[in-house]
């Protein structure tokens, strides 16, 4: 039954599509055009009268047509075939032997029985292929082996496994020799090699794909009461059956009967083969003489020896690679994944060797050169002790085995003439090679693990004696044979014979030259044309080849980056690491599902470590979480110059906060920090307290008026707090009142609102900006990308205007006036150390980082105040006793007069307020994590850190470390910062509370339970610590004080409060952590009740 259309639409009588495209017409075909083949003559030339250039165009398009119809589907068939025969090695890792209660010897017997039936059937399969037609034979055997594979997943004992493996080998026997023979009947000898290589590279791809597929399928373990290994067989068997059914339509017959060819194209294919001295152009009938001609040919048996030299190692390698890698100490899933890269590399080289051999006609030399890789690879496996070196040996082993398979088959096919003789020869060669699978199945014994000396030694011997030695011997014998033919020493063989009789002699005839020299030559007496230059016949193969090469190269690079390096070669692979993670994305999915820093907060308390924890980010990129005090000291202080901010972080965040003090590195950072230190000294910060208190009072007054006006005590804090901190930074840092509290629609507030609102588009834009190169990121068609760029430019314009105004102010000030100008910008200008562009970057840093981080801390403060009403009351009581009455209320005339004498001591002496601020900054640090990159090979607490390694420092994690803070590290408890007055401890940071026998005082950090300053990481430490921490503490304390004095605050939804969220993962009242520049409580809705004037 033929499942395909019988004719193309033109029926062979009209111009072909190729001819129409180039404007050619052709005469009608003469009757009996194909019958001439029976008399040994080539079909008539349908392109007679055309120029060579026009013929070349038609020839290229014909090859396009052949390649697109034949190669992709045949590659898929062999990929499935090789996957089905070798997946038992993957199944073994997932409990096959344990489930069937079989021994290692019985497992090897199950492997061996496949090759017995497979090898015995192969010599006859090509005869059946020719007699039954490819369109019937190939789909039929696929259905047969697909059913065998499916049934293999249902067996329950050793006998069932043996039976299914035997019939699987019997059914699969016809595919590999059949398709190689089939392709040799379509293509010229100088075109066949690259196509055979691409076809066979499917075996290497199946090795890559099989490991990944098995690792995925085994997750079905237990489904339907079936083990994971059983589902590997069942699902892959069902897939084979489906592809087999489709093959009735997708596999075509030989050129003289293929239905996808028009009559004209059929003539062209047959003439190309005839010009290449191939009798596959003839319609032969089978005779036993063809069989005996193959048996008596010495080349058949030497090719069989060569093929056993690569096919035996091939099966040993493909069946036992996961086992070999598992023996190196890797778990089953990791072993499956680590088996992918060697196959990918082998597929690349297989295609490359096929191309080179076609161009040079030096298949013998290609075998000799490539086999050296395999010899060296197995020598490494035999001699090396290091897992990394042994794994590198598997790469070389794959590179030395896989290319020789396709190259040897092509070599044998090209040097064997006659349709049936070539088919029988390929059957013998491939069958004998596959019979050595019996040997391969029994040489890797479990008792030999982990070094497998016997197995590696046998494969090494195969490669040296049979592949390397056999290829060398065949090369020199063929070279000698060709020399005889050129010299005319074999002309007597054709003396007195007719042309038909000479043609029937096949590769024995004197004019047939074996493929051993760079350019095959024909005697002058031959009437056959010389072979055309291969480069003049590009076809669909080239774009397919380019695409396949690029895909395999990408697979190889991805495999190296995602699997090989982090699992085998990374010097960091032995560090403590969290469990779980995906095969290719590591712990990335865990990281993005939770707020940044949250997973590290869990790992620091659950994973035993020596100060560093390794985890894998997207595409298994290594990250080192620095979580121990000694490790932090190395990174932040002792070896601070060895670590810098990640370049992509500087590039992206620099657009928002400017490349100021936070992002500057090296000498530039040191110079800027030295110049700005006077502006951020506590002596200068004390003079800014009136501005802090004035704006804090303005916030509470404006909010109270708003609540009164709208008659709604429910408040969305995000906008209000951000505007307040923006006003404070403007007045205290730059001497300019932005008035964003009273004018929320102002340009500056609007632009920052646009930049800092982390909607999904903004987050996506930021992520793409991190991963895309600079020249491409602006092309990303995301609205927020261009919007943020415009907002940043507008903010920079505002900064330049402030700088010009302040420069003029400083220039016109006298010496006596300068002390009055205590805003940070004026002090920075007065130093003369900054250019205008430097100041723009510094202002952007102060504006974005300064106001956003304090706003986040303030929102967390209100969250904790709502969660702990008693804390509100305690802070309020303390403030009433410490702040003078004239500073408690906002003036009716909105003037700043009452606050000009507001002193830092009014806030500093409020010990519980200071303790509350410190606890807020500990439990809810605004910046959850920061990153550093090693600029050179270095070490942390003795652990080697290679150049380029990304380190993650997480205040969220360190500030809640149980090791550093005790069992209640996750509990919000301000009292941990207080000591009894009798302890006689003064405070740090210049804050000097009064002594009192009735009021607790703030404890210095170094007298806390943790004996190290690195337990509190909110402001970092060392030369890169936050220069503005005194500014931030003072600003936050004033905001909290004003808020507590003005309002009693509750959650809008007290019924959602439940637990307090002290576990660090859940938060009360439906609050979620939102991460942008800072980490702040999102969806924080509160209800405020104004307390009125006091």
């Amino acid at each position: 039954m033929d499942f395909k259309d019988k004719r193309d639409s033109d029926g062979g009588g009209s111009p072909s599509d190729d001819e129409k495209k180039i404007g050619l017409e052709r005469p009608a075909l003469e009757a009996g055009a194909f019958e001439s083949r029976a008399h040994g003559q080539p079909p008539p030339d349908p392109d007679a009268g055309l120029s060579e250039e026009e013929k070349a165009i038609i020839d290229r398009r014909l090859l396009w047509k052949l390649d697109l119809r034949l190669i992709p589907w045949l590659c898929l068939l062999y990929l499935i075939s090789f996957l089905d025969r070798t997946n038992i090695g993957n199944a073994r890792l997932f409990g096959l032997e344990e489930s069937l209660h079989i021994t290692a010897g019985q497992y090897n017997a199950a492997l061996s029985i496949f090759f017995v039936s497979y090898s015995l059937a192969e010599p006859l399969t090509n005869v059946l292929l020719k007699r039954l037609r490819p369109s019937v034979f190939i789909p039929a055997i696929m259905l047969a082996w697909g059913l065998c594979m499916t049934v293999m997943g249902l067996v329950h004992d050793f006998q069932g496994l043996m039976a299914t493996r035997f019939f699987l080998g019997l059914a699969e026997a016809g595919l590999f020799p059949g398709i190689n023979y089939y392709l040799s009947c379509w293509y010229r000898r100088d075109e066949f090699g690259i196509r055979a290589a691409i076809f066979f590279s499917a075996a290497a791809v199946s090795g890559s794909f099989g490991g990944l597929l098995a690792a995925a399928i085994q997750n079905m373990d237990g489904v339907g009461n079936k083990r994971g290994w059983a589902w590997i067989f069942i699902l892959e068997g069902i897939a084979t059956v489906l592809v087999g059914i489709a093959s009735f339509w997708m596999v075509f017959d030989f050129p003289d009967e293929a239905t996808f060819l028009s009559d004209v194209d059929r003539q062209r294919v047959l003439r190309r083969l005839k010009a290449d001295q191939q009798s596959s152009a003839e319609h032969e009938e089978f005779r036993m003489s063809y069989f005996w001609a193959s048996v008596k040919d010495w080349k058949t048996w030497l090719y069989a020896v060569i093929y056993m030299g690569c096919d035996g190692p091939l099966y040993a390698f493909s069946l036992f690679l996961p086992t070999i890698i598992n023996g190196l100490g890797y778990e089953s899933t990791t072993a499956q994944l680590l088996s992918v890269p060697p196959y990918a590399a082998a597929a690349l080289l297989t295609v490359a060797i096929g191309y080179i051999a076609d161009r040079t006609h030096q298949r013998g030399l290609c075998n000799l050169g490539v086999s050296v890789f395999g010899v060296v690879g197995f020598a490494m496996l035999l001699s090396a002790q290091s897992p990394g070196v042994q794994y590198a040996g598997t790469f070389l082993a794959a590179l030395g085995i896989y290319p020789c398979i396709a190259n040897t088959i092509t070599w044998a096919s090209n040097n064997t003439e006659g349709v049936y003789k070539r088919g029988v020869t390929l059957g013998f060669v491939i069958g004998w090679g596959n019979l050595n699978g019996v040997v391969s199945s029994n040489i890797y014994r479990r008792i030999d693990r982990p070094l497998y000396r016997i197995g590696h030694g046998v494969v090494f011997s195969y490669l040296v004696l049979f592949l390397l030695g056999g290829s060398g011997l065949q090369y020199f014998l063929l070279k000698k044979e060709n020399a005889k033919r050129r010299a005319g020493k074999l002309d007597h063989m054709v003396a007195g014979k007719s042309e038909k009789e000479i043609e029937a002699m096949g590769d024995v005839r004197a004019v047939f030259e074996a493929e051993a020299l760079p350019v095959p030559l024909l005697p002058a007496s031959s009437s056959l044309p010389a072979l055309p230059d291969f480069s003049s016949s590009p076809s669909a193969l080239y774009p397919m080849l380019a695409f396949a090469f690029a895909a395999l190269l990408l697979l190889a690079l991805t495999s190296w980056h995602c699997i090989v390096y982090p699992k085998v070669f990374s010097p960091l692979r032995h560090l403590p690491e969290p469990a779980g993670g995906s095969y290719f994305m590591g712990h990335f999915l865990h990281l993005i599902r939770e707020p940044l820093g949250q997973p590290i907060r869990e790992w620091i308390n659950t994973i035993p470590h020596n100060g560093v924890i390794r985890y894998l980010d997207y595409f298994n990129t290594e990250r080192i979480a620095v979580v121990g005090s000694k490790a932090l000291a190395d990174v932040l202080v002792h070896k601070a110059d060895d670590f810098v901010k990640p370049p992509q972080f500087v590039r992206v965040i620099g657009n928002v906060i400017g490349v100021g003090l936070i992002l500057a590195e090296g000498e530039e950072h040191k110079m800027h920090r030295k110049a700005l230190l006077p502006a951020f000294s506590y002596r200068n910060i004390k003079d800014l307290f009136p501005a802090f208190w004035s704006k804090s009072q303005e916030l509470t007054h404006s909010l109270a008026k708003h609540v009164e006006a709208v008659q709604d005590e429910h408040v969305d804090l995000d906008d209000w707090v951000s505007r307040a901190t923006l006003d404070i930074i403007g007045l205290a840092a730059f001497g300019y009142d932005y008035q964003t509290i009273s004018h929320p629609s102002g340009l500056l507030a609007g632009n920052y609102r646009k930049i800092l609102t982390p909607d999904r588009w903004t987050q996506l834009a930021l992520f793409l900006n991190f991963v895309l190169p600079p020249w491409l990121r602006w092309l990303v068609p995301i609205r927020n990308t261009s919007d943020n760029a415009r907002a940043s430019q507008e903010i920079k314009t505002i900064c330049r205007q402030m700088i010009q105004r302040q420069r003029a102010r400083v220039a016109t000030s006298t010496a006596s006036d300068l002390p009055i100008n205590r805003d940070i910008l004026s002090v920075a200008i007065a130093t003369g150390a900054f250019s205008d562009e430097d100041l723009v970057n510094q202002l952007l840093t102060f504006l974005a980082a300064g106001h956003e981080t304090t706003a986040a801390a303030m929102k967390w403060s209100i969250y904790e105040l709502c969660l702990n009403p008693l804390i509100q009351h305690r802070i309020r009581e303390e403030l009433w006793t410490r702040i003078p009455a004239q500073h408690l209320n906002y003036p009716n005339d909105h003037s700043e007069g009452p606050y000009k004498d507001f002193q830092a001591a009014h806030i500093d002496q409020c010990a519980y307020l200071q303790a509350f601020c410190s606890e807020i900054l500990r439990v809810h640090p605004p910046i959850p994590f920061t990153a550093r990159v090693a600029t050179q090979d270095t070490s942390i607490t003795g652990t080697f850190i290679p150049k380029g390694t990304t380190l993650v420092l997480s205040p969220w994690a360190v500030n809640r470390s149980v090791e550093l803070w005790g069992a209640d590290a996750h509990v919000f408890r301000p009292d941990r910062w207080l000591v009894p007055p009798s302890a006689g401890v003064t405070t740090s940071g210049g804050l000097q509370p009064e002594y009192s026998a009735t009021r607790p005082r703030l404890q210095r950090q170094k007298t806390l339970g943790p004996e190290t300053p690195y337990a509190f990481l909110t402001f970092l430490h060392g030369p890169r610590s936050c220069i503005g921490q005194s500014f931030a503490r003072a600003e936050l304390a004033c905001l909290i004080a004003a808020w507590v004095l003005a309002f009693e605050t509750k959650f809008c939804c007290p019924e959602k409060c439940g637990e307090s969220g002290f576990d660090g993962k859940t938060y009360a009242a439906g609050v979620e952590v939102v991460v942008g520049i800072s980490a702040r409580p999102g969806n924080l809705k509160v209800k405020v009740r104004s307390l009125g004037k006091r």
Side-chain angles (χ1 to χ4, degrees):
M1 179 177 181
D2 194 345
F3 291 89
K4 296 180 281 293
D5 296 332
K6 297 299 181 183
R7 289 288 175 192
D8 282 355
S9 58
D10 64 357
S14 59
S16 68
D17 293 339
D18 295 336
E19 292 167 325
K20 291 176 182 178
K21 291 177 181 177
I22 60 174
L24 300 177
E25 299 290 338
R26 56 175 171 78
L29 297 178
E30 297 178 3
F34 299 111
E35 284 75 3
S36 63
R37 288 179 284 120
H39 305 290
Q41 299 295 326
D45 186 0
D47 303 319
L50 300 182
S51 68
E52 292 301 319
E53 181 180 350
E54 292 168 333
K55 289 182 179 179
I57 294 175
I58 292 176
D59 194 56
R60 285 195 297 269
R61 288 176 176 165
L62 177 61
L63 277 178
W64 263 99
K65 189 172 187 178
L66 298 183
D67 288 338
L68 290 174
R69 290 296 186 105
L70 301 178
I71 303 299
W73 192 258
L74 296 180
C75 287
L76 174 64
L77 300 190
Y78 190 56
L79 185 151
I80 293 174
S81 168
F82 208 81
L83 190 67
D84 288 347
R85 79 178 67 168
T86 59
N87 58 13
I88 190 170
N90 296 321
R92 185 187 195 186
L93 292 180
F94 295 116
L96 171 69
E97 292 171 302
E98 292 79 4
S99 296
L100 299 185
H101 306 289
I102 60 178
T103 65
Q106 290 176 318
Y107 172 80
N108 289 338
L111 298 184
S112 302
I113 195 67
F114 170 89
F115 295 104
V116 173
S117 59
Y118 187 87
S119 303
L120 293 176
E122 275 185 315
L124 302 176
T125 55
N126 282 349
V127 176
L128 292 174
L129 174 69
K130 182 68 177 175
R131 298 294 294 271
L132 296 179
R133 297 187 305 167
S135 60
V136 174
F137 178 75
I138 292 176
I141 64 173
M142 287 198 69
L143 290 176
W145 96 60
L147 291 174
C148 291
M149 178 57 57
T150 305
V151 172
M152 196 182 304
L154 305 177
V155 300
H156 296 90
D157 52 28
F158 172 65
Q159 290 76 14
L161 181 64
M162 288 288 285
T164 52
R165 288 287 293 178
F166 177 85
F167 286 107
L168 179 67
L170 195 66
E172 278 201 43
L175 187 76
F176 183 66
I179 290 181
N180 277 287
Y181 166 60
Y182 174 71
L183 287 175
S184 72
C185 295
W186 280 95
Y187 293 100
R188 297 193 313 235
R189 289 190 294 167
D190 62 343
E191 300 166 344
F192 176 42
I194 182 64
R195 289 161 176 84
I198 291 177
F199 165 69
F200 182 70
S201 67
V205 173
S206 76
S208 304
F209 179 69
L212 298 176
L213 186 61
I217 295 177
Q218 67 88 22
N219 290 320
M220 295 182 64
D221 188 37
V223 175
N225 293 322
K226 291 289 181 185
R227 292 292 306 274
W229 64 263
W231 282 112
I232 292 175
F233 293 144
I234 293 170
L235 294 183
E236 293 181 8
I238 292 173
T240 300
V241 170
L242 296 177
V243 174
I245 294 172
S247 294
F248 282 106
W249 287 269
M250 297 301 294
V251 175
F252 303 96
D253 292 322
F254 291 106
D256 56 347
E257 295 178 344
T259 58
F260 75 92
L261 293 175
S262 66
D263 288 341
V264 175
D265 283 342
R266 185 174 296 109
Q267 280 185 285
R268 291 178 179 132
V269 173
L270 295 175
R271 283 186 62 84
R272 297 173 84 254
L273 297 174
K274 194 72 176 179
D276 195 36
Q277 310 176 63
Q278 291 198 44
S279 294
S280 56
E282 297 287 348
H283 186 76
E284 291 183 347
E285 295 295 334
F286 177 73
R287 296 196 298 269
M288 282 302 295
S289 60
Y290 298 138
F291 176 84
W292 293 115
S294 175
V295 172
K296 295 175 183 179
D297 192 343
W298 61 270
K299 298 193 301 294
T300 299
W301 302 109
L302 191 47
Y303 280 127
V305 170
I306 297 170
Y307 193 69
M308 77 180 273
C310 51
D311 208 34
L314 169 74
Y315 285 114
F317 186 84
S318 58
L319 287 170
F320 289 96
L321 180 61
T323 302
I324 293 170
I325 297 175
N326 184 246
L328 299 181
Y330 298 99
E331 59 182 15
S332 57
T333 301
T334 302
Q336 297 284 8
L337 297 177
L338 288 175
S339 69
V340 174
Y343 286 120
L348 287 173
L349 188 61
T350 298
V351 175
I353 291 298
Y355 177 79
I356 293 170
D358 272 353
R359 297 298 298 268
T360 64
H361 303 276
Q362 290 283 11
R363 302 192 191 279
L365 293 181
C366 287
N367 257 19
L368 289 170
V370 171
S371 61
V372 173
F373 287 116
V375 171
V376 174
F378 274 94
M380 292 169 63
L381 287 169
L382 273 169
S383 59
Q385 300 290 331
S386 167
V389 175
Q390 289 183 303
Y391 185 64
T394 66
F395 269 87
L396 292 177
L399 294 176
I401 294 172
Y402 278 84
C404 292
I405 297 289
N407 193 57
T408 301
I409 293 299
T410 307
W411 197 10
S413 175
N414 285 359
N415 288 337
T416 306
E417 188 50 55
V419 175
Y420 280 105
K421 181 185 178 184
R422 185 191 306 140
V424 173
T425 296
L426 290 179
F428 274 124
V429 170
I430 297 173
W432 176 251
N434 286 325
L435 189 59
N436 286 271
V438 176
V439 178
S440 303
S441 303
N442 291 278
I443 57 178
Y444 283 97
R445 305 175 303 172
R446 285 198 167 181
I447 61 174
D448 299 326
R449 62 182 299 174
L451 299 180
Y452 295 106
R453 300 290 192 193
I454 294 177
H456 296 332
V458 171
V459 174
F460 180 82
S461 301
Y462 264 69
L463 291 171
V464 173
L465 297 177
F466 304 136
L467 179 56
L468 188 61
S471 296
L473 180 61
Q474 184 78 301
Y475 175 81
F476 287 108
L477 290 176
L478 290 178
K479 186 175 182 179
K480 183 178 179 180
E481 179 78 8
N482 280 346
K484 289 181 180 180
R485 299 189 182 204
R486 288 194 198 89
K489 294 181 180 180
L490 301 181
D491 288 352
H492 65 277
M493 299 176 62
V494 298
K497 295 184 182 293
S498 66
E499 186 174 349
K500 181 179 179 181
E501 291 173 325
I502 295 174
E503 190 75 20
M505 295 173 68
D507 56 88
V508 179
R509 66 191 192 275
V511 297
F512 184 89
E513 187 149 343
E515 207 177 40
L517 293 177
V519 181
L521 302 174
L522 294 174
S525 60
S526 175
S527 60
L528 295 174
L531 289 174
D533 184 351
F534 181 73
S535 62
S536 66
S537 302
S539 68
L541 179 66
Y542 292 119
M544 291 165 58
L545 179 61
F547 177 79
F549 188 84
L552 289 172
L553 181 61
L554 179 62
L555 176 62
L557 293 175
T558 302
S559 299
W560 168 260
H561 181 80
C562 296
I563 301 175
V564 179
Y565 180 77
K567 300 289 185 182
V568 178
F569 292 103
S570 171
L572 306 173
R573 66 186 184 278
H574 301 301
L575 293 178
E577 184 175 331
S582 68
Y583 301 134
F584 286 101
M585 301 300 286
H587 304 96
F588 176 69
L589 297 179
H590 185 193
L591 293 168
I592 64 172
R593 279 196 297 263
E594 307 226 18
L596 295 178
Q598 177 63 50
I600 302 177
R601 181 183 284 178
E602 300 172 14
W603 299 335
I604 193 175
N605 292 319
T606 57
I607 299 176
H609 60 81
N610 189 31
V612 291
I613 296 173
R614 171 186 183 251
Y615 67 92
L616 301 178
D617 209 338
Y618 58 88
F619 301 128
N620 281 354
T621 304
E622 290 182 300
R623 301 282 188 259
I624 299 297
V626 185
V627 295
S629 58
K630 293 181 179 178
L632 289 166
D634 276 352
V635 174
L636 296 174
V637 180
H638 304 149
K639 299 181 180 181
D641 292 338
D642 290 353
F643 305 99
V644 298
K645 291 282 199 309
Q648 65 269 31
F649 177 84
V650 174
R651 185 185 73 222
V652 176
I653 300 300
N655 292 325
V656 180
I657 68 172
V659 186
L661 192 61
I662 290 179
L663 301 181
E665 297 290 349
E667 292 302 319
E668 181 184 12
H669 174 267
K670 293 177 183 178
M671 181 189 70
H672 289 177
R673 186 179 180 91
K674 182 178 180 180
L676 288 172
L677 273 175
F680 284 98
S681 66
Y682 191 73
R683 182 169 52 186
N684 192 62
I685 297 301
K686 288 195 299 182
D687 294 333
L688 299 178
F689 268 77
F692 295 153
W693 190 248
S694 171
K695 281 298 177 180
S696 300
Q697 288 283 22
E698 183 181 349
L699 165 66
T700 57
H701 176 76
S702 298
L703 181 57
K705 289 184 62 177
H706 169 78
V707 169
E708 182 181 356
V710 299
Q711 295 295 308
D712 187 358
E713 296 179 338
H714 298 81
V715 177
D716 184 354
L717 290 175
D718 277 351
D719 194 46
W720 281 99
V721 174
S722 293
R723 280 154 45 200
T725 56
L726 192 58
D727 266 5
I728 290 175
I729 201 78
L731 188 60
F734 313 133
Y736 182 78
D737 189 353
Y738 294 122
Q739 298 183 354
T740 56
I741 295 176
S742 55
H743 298 87
S745 59
L747 183 61
L748 187 64
N751 282 324
Y752 269 115
R753 192 179 301 116
K754 186 182 298 182
I755 291 175
L756 300 175
T757 302
D759 59 21
R760 291 183 178 180
W761 286 109
T762 301
Q763 294 179 30
L764 178 59
L766 286 173
F767 176 75
L768 292 178
N769 282 339
F770 268 107
V771 299
L772 294 178
W775 58 269
L776 184 60
R777 69 180 189 271
W778 302 112
L779 302 178
V780 178
I782 298 179
R783 168 182 52 80
N784 293 64
T785 301
S786 56
D787 288 353
N788 288 353
R790 285 192 295 269
S792 295
Q793 288 302 320
E794 290 176 359
I795 293 172
K796 288 180 180 179
T797 300
I798 296 173
C799 289
R800 291 188 179 96
Q801 293 171 355
M802 286 191 296
I803 292 168
Q804 292 172 2
R805 182 176 58 253
Q806 289 298 91
R807 279 196 182 277
R809 180 181 177 188
V810 170
T812 58
S813 298
T814 63
S816 60
D817 295 327
L818 286 178
I820 300 174
N821 302 323
R822 284 299 181 183
D823 61 86
I824 293 171
L825 177 58
S826 297
V827 175
I829 291 174
T831 64
F834 298 96
S835 67
D836 281 2
E837 197 57 34
D838 289 337
L839 288 171
V840 167
N841 282 314
Q842 302 301 339
L843 260 62
L844 285 173
T845 299
F846 300 153
L847 278 170
H851 99 269
E852 174 63 15
T853 53
T854 307
M858 180 59 184
K859 293 167 192 173
W860 283 118
S861 300
I862 295 174
Y863 170 82
E864 291 293 350
L865 290 172
C866 293
L867 206 58
N868 301 280
L870 292 179
I871 292 180
Q872 287 190 57
H873 177 73
R874 187 172 175 180
I875 293 175
R876 191 176 297 118
E877 291 290 333
E878 181 181 58
L879 291 170
W880 283 340
T881 62
R882 293 299 167 191
I883 297 180
Q886 68 268 26
H887 298 311
L888 294 179
N889 301 311
Y890 192 72
N892 293 331
D893 60 359
H894 299 191
S895 67
E896 298 181 5
Y899 304 134
K900 286 185 179 180
D901 59 347
F902 188 89
Q903 298 177 12
H906 296 152
I907 296 295
D908 290 348
Q909 63 186 349
C910 297
Y912 192 74
L913 172 64
Q914 297 293 343
F916 177 82
C917 293
S918 293
E919 189 71 347
I920 285 291
L921 294 172
R922 182 189 74 86
V923 177
H924 304 290
I927 306 298
F929 82 102
T930 186
R932 298 287 188 271
V933 174
T935 59
Q936 60 186 12
D937 289 347
T938 184
S939 63
I940 301 176
T941 61
T943 300
F944 174 72
I945 303 294
K947 178 181 178 181
T949 303
T950 298
L951 310 180
V952 176
L953 289 73
S954 177
W956 266 38
V958 174
N959 288 4
R960 294 199 193 186
S961 169
V962 172
E963 178 185 356
L964 297 175
W965 290 91
D968 66 343
H970 63 285
V971 177
F972 184 85
R973 188 169 64 83
D975 289 280
R976 75 173 74 244
W977 297 88
L978 302 172
V979 293
S982 60
V985 179
T986 58
T987 62
S988 63
L991 304 179
Q992 302 290 335
E994 296 178 5
Y995 286 92
S996 170
T998 59
R999 189 180 66 252
R1001 296 182 298 104
L1002 181 67
Q1003 179 183 354
R1004 289 186 67 183
Q1005 185 179 330
K1006 69 178 182 179
T1007 64
L1008 299 175
E1011 297 179 357
T1012 169
Y1014 301 99
F1016 185 75
L1017 204 60
T1018 302
F1019 298 109
L1020 301 182
H1021 295 277
R1024 298 304 305 263
S1025 62
C1026 177
I1027 195 174
Q1029 58 180 297
S1030 296
F1031 185 104
R1033 282 181 176 275
E1035 179 185 6
L1036 177 63
C1038 288
L1039 283 167
I1040 294 172
W1043 185 276
V1044 172
L1045 288 171
F1047 303 116
E1048 181 183 88
T1049 314
K1050 298 179 180 179
F1051 288 124
C1052 284
C1053 304
E1055 68 278 2
K1056 293 184 179 180
C1057 287
E1059 295 296 327
S1060 64
F1062 283 155
D1063 60 357
K1065 294 184 65 175
T1066 58
Y1067 292 88
V1071 168
E1072 297 177 352
V1073 178
V1074 176
V1075 179
I1077 289 181
S1078 63
R1080 60 189 184 279
N1083 196 35
L1084 178 58
K1085 307 286 187 181
V1086 301
K1087 182 178 181 181
V1088 297
R1089 182 177 69 85
S1090 179
L1091 298 177
K1093 293 185 179 182
R1094 182 172 175 83

